Amino acid sequence: MLELKHLKTLTTLAKTGSLQAAALDLCVTQSALSHQLGQLEQRLGQTLFQRKSQPLQFTASGQALLELAQRVLPDVANTLRQLQQPGDTNATLVLSVECHACFHWILPALRLYRQQNPALTITLSHEIEHDAVSSLLTGELDIVLTTDLRQADKLQVYPLFELELVLLVSPDHPLAQAEQITPALLQHEVILSYPIPAERQDLFRCFMPDLSFKGQLKAVAQGSQIVQLVAAGQGIAALPRWMAEPFASQGLLVSKTLGTAGLWRPMYLLHRPNQAPASALAALAEVLRQAAPESTRPVQLPI
């Protein structure tokens, strides 16, 4: 009747304060989240929260389950960590990335790492978590790849490389002919992106932090879908150059450098301190550096 996913949903609702924000955080549609909670309420015969309250208010039943979640989820995470102590020769760690575009190069790298380090198994989570750092800190994940370095004081950080984000537009879009892409040119555009808040997106926080954006931000779950929508003229997007190159070479879209020098962002490997032997995770970081796409470059920025 009651599953861990329900408990995680309730803690996310409490953290975000609304169904819409919780759905965005969990990377599901609002209707799917509402349906999941409605089913749970039907099974329990209890209303868990007031749907029209802002911020969302839990009922007494909902508060009781929330308190249960706050007790149980950390215990589950701690038990999993105990089962995967560094001395365990069969330890398995779960890795997640905050970008779909990483999958095509990270899978061969993990295969190579497994051959070189058979005592430590790295399992790739295929469910993208756009707030994977939070899941890392609670113990739901063990390793995270991200360009958004958050709460670094609580984590072990390995810089991997720098990737270039380029602007993708359809061949007949006016920006395809622009000599230089400036922030002002994007002010009124329809921008397609992963379902994360604008303040955590590199395009907004690093390329146009001072711009009053008056366009439309559309959330799309997967990078491949973003590319297809851009090619169809449904919007523009900023994605890693390695993801754009196959489609640009076929004339399906145009990739444009952002600014004069390009928008370069460092990719990091993060894990909790003492998660596994330091040498094993340092070796993983080195394998990932060696497997990085050709369009990347060594990290130039200090962490």
Side-chain angles (χ1 to χ4, degrees):
M1 177 180 291
L2 187 64
E3 303 175 29
L4 287 178
K5 70 176 182 180
H6 296 135
L7 299 182
K8 183 176 180 180
T9 295
L10 292 174
T11 58
T12 304
L13 275 173
K15 178 180 71 173
T16 59
S18 72
L19 274 173
Q20 181 180 14
L24 190 64
D25 193 84
L26 293 168
C27 299
V28 298
T29 65
Q30 185 174 341
S31 61
L33 184 60
S34 181
H35 180 68
Q36 177 196 128
L37 290 167
Q39 283 189 322
L40 178 59
E41 288 178 321
Q42 185 176 13
R43 292 175 190 172
L44 296 172
Q46 300 282 341
T47 299
L48 300 179
F49 58 93
Q50 303 296 332
R51 282 167 169 74
K52 295 185 179 180
S53 58
Q54 284 294 332
L56 182 145
Q57 298 293 320
F58 285 90
T59 63
S61 298
Q63 186 63 37
L65 284 182
L66 176 61
E67 292 172 1
L68 173 66
Q70 293 168 339
R71 295 194 305 270
V72 168
L73 292 178
D75 286 346
V76 171
N78 288 333
T79 300
L80 291 176
R81 283 198 295 270
Q82 292 171 10
L83 293 173
Q84 297 174 354
Q85 289 298 318
D88 183 356
T89 57
N90 297 314
T92 298
L93 302 181
V94 179
L95 180 151
S96 179
V97 295
E98 290 190 331
C99 175
H100 285 272
C102 290
F103 276 145
H104 83 282
W105 64 266
I106 199 174
L107 289 172
L110 292 180
R111 189 180 306 115
L112 175 62
Y113 180 79
R114 193 179 307 118
Q115 294 171 354
Q116 297 176 354
N117 300 270
L120 184 62
T121 301
I122 307 295
T123 300
L124 180 63
S125 171
H126 290 273
E127 293 186 4
I128 296 296
E129 295 206 25
H130 294 292
D131 191 13
V133 173
S134 295
S135 296
L136 177 62
L137 290 169
T138 60
E140 297 170 77
L141 295 171
D142 302 304
I143 307 171
V144 168
L145 296 188
T146 182
T147 62
D148 187 2
L149 190 57
R150 311 186 298 283
Q151 304 194 62
D153 59 322
K154 301 177 182 178
L155 299 167
Q156 178 66 48
V157 179
Y158 292 90
L160 298 180
F161 51 78
E162 285 189 309
L163 60 89
E164 184 187 8
L165 291 174
V166 294
L167 189 71
L168 306 185
V169 300
S170 65
D172 56 356
H173 193 285
L175 290 179
Q177 307 303 320
E179 292 186 7
Q180 181 178 326
I181 301 298
T182 63
L185 291 177
L186 309 184
Q187 187 172 24
H188 299 283
E189 292 293 331
V190 176
I191 297 179
L192 309 172
S193 72
Y194 294 118
I196 59 177
E199 59 268 21
R200 282 192 45 222
Q201 294 187 31
D202 291 331
L203 180 67
F204 287 91
R205 66 190 183 96
C206 300
F207 183 65
M208 44 187 193
D210 302 320
L211 183 73
S212 177
F213 181 63
K214 302 183 184 301
Q216 185 177 1
L217 185 62
K218 286 188 175 182
V220 182
Q222 297 186 359
S224 59
Q225 295 173 329
I226 293 176
V227 171
Q228 293 173 28
L229 289 170
V230 169
Q234 299 299 304
I236 63 175
L239 288 175
R241 183 175 289 279
W242 73 67
M243 193 167 185
E245 288 172 343
F247 302 94
S249 64
Q250 299 177 57
L252 299 176
L253 48 77
V254 175
S255 64
K256 306 288 291 187
T257 299
L258 288 161
T260 55
L263 179 57
W264 291 86
R265 299 297 302 143
M267 176 71 76
Y268 301 103
L269 181 152
L270 310 178
H271 68 85
R272 296 183 303 279
N274 304 317
Q275 182 63 32
S279 58
L281 290 171
L284 173 62
E286 185 57 32
V287 168
L288 294 176
R289 291 188 192 104
Q290 297 298 323
E294 293 182 1
S295 59
T296 62
R297 69 186 187 188
V299 174
Q300 300 295 324
L301 301 176
I303 63 172

